[in-house]
Amino acid sequence: MASNEDSHQVSARESSKAALKTPKASVHTPTQNNSAFPVVYLVYVRRCLPVQGTRDYHPDQMAVREQVFDVIKSCFKRHGAVTIDTPVFELKETLLGKYGEDSKLIYDLADQGGEQLSLRYDLTVPFARYVAMNKLKNIKRYHIARVYRRDNPAMTKGRYREFYQCDFDIAGDYDPLLPDAECVKIMTEILTDLPLGDFVVKINHRRLLDGIFAACGVPHEKFRPVCSAVDKLDKLEWKDVRKEMVDVKGLDGTAADRIGHYVQRRGSRELVEELLQDDCLTSQPAAKQGLEEMRELLKYCEVFGVLDKVVFDISLARGLDYYTGIIYEALLTGSPEEMSAVKTGETIGVGSVVGGGRYDELVGMFDPNNKPVPCVGFSVGIERIFSVVETKYQSQLSSKPRAVETDVLVASGQQNLLSERMKICNELWANKIKAEMFHRLNPKLLNQFQYCEEQRIPYIAIIGQEELTQGSVKLRETFTRKEVLIARENFIAEVQRRLAEN
């Protein structure tokens, strides 16, 4: 037979299980306790929080988000791109060895029947696998989907563990630098079309960096580790980057100083021409090729009218291992006041918002015959852009996109008119007009007016006994509060006319 103490503990466990099923946990209190020791009751409180590094989006946030997506998709389609989709997870071997030091950020999945799987880290490697598997010779594609990284999240900086990427890539053997120049053009169009303020596109060449390292005496096996250190120059001072090269990467101090002479420079066409006169540098075939291609790219950027947005920055390295040629990165350059949250005053440091480059050898890694397909592309950091756009809309509510896209609310302030409201809604829906009504038998007219003002619904169709007798509908403009009677047979046409004009 169970003791009183045992029965009390069982009751506590049952209460704890119940607490997991209800929003508010309750504790069972025993009527008696014959134990010499107090009984400890565990109460489980359900956590209603998203996972760290992820977030939920409210309807008004999703409206802004969809607007940003629409701008980006429109630009991609304007340049002739098609869209694809790939699985959210890949074979682990597909992803390993492609991201350099960032490979540690890949999410591995538990073994589910013999296959070692990982969540995709980006959309570029799955795209390369897709091109190789389908034996494509050329494609211009965009892909908008979630990716995952085991990163330390920084929500105010737009850095998450789960986030969307918007990728654009051109695969195929084309004349040199033309696809690269179009990518730069598309980047500038997107950043100009979105309400982000000023920006700059930094460009560099991986072959140039390799040539600089060779000219400065860096052993070939240290090229990638030194490259990852150079990539931190946008966040650290040169003395700190130099210290990492020497103390962590094991590079000779003299070689590090020679590298510093080059990688701290930035400019435009004049810098390219100056470096082409550097005999030490141009004696390296990789550096000479990189500079000549940079000269060509800047010429095309001028033709496309985007040269004023482009900066040749030798410190740009892009840490991923698969880049082989031109690399680029776009950063917002707005003032701190433009980037600060209205309510909290907290600055949103978003860093780069677009990044990419040329990767001619990645597809060949997945081809049985090692056949390469030249590729170039970029990824838009949508979460970082969204953080900035959302902040800007906080001070510009009138221009913020509507979460509710309803054009007409069908309303009534009198009783027993539900069926009439339903009939008018049905007519509006049949004519592809966005409409809704309150799901109440006899809603208050003031509540319906307030709802339209809050949701910025432009028109209210009002039906009452008087309108029924006259065979008309009263149309009210929400913001001006002007009202006009419209014959029932002309009502749909009049609404369509007004919506077309706006």
Side-chain angles (χ1 to χ4, degrees), residues 419-427 463 467-468 470-474 485-494:
S419 60
E420 296 301 326
R421 287 189 287 131
M422 294 175 68
K423 289 176 183 177
I424 295 176
C425 268
N426 203 41
E427 289 180 36
I463 188 74
E467 286 77 20
L468 279 177
Q470 295 176 350
S472 62
V473 178
K474 185 181 293 182
L485 277 176
I486 303 171
R488 183 68 175 265
E489 62 271 17
N490 299 328
F491 173 68
I492 296 297
E494 178 63 18

Side-chain angles (χ1 to χ4, degrees), residues 76 81-82 123-124 127-128 131 139-143 166-172 179 183 186 323 328 356-357 359 375-379:
F76 290 160
V82 296
L123 301 177
T124 304
F127 171 63
V131 172
I139 185 175
K140 183 187 286 187
R141 84 85 169 87
Y142 73 91
H143 189 187
C166 303
D167 277 26
F168 177 92
D169 293 86
I170 302 174
C183 284
I186 296 170
Y323 289 123
Y328 29 68
Y359 52 101
C375 297
V376 64
F378 62 86
S379 179

Side-chain angles (χ1 to χ4, degrees), residues 91 109-117:
L91 291 172
L109 301 179
D111 187 350
Q112 297 290 332
E115 288 187 324
Q116 297 294 321
L117 306 175

Side-chain angles (χ1 to χ4, degrees), residues 98-119:
K98 313 298 191 305
Y99 303 108
E101 294 181 356
D102 285 347
S103 291
K104 63 181 181 291
L105 302 180
I106 295 174
Y107 270 110
D108 293 331
L109 301 179
D111 187 350
Q112 297 290 332
E115 288 187 324
Q116 297 294 321
L117 306 175
S118 299
L119 293 177

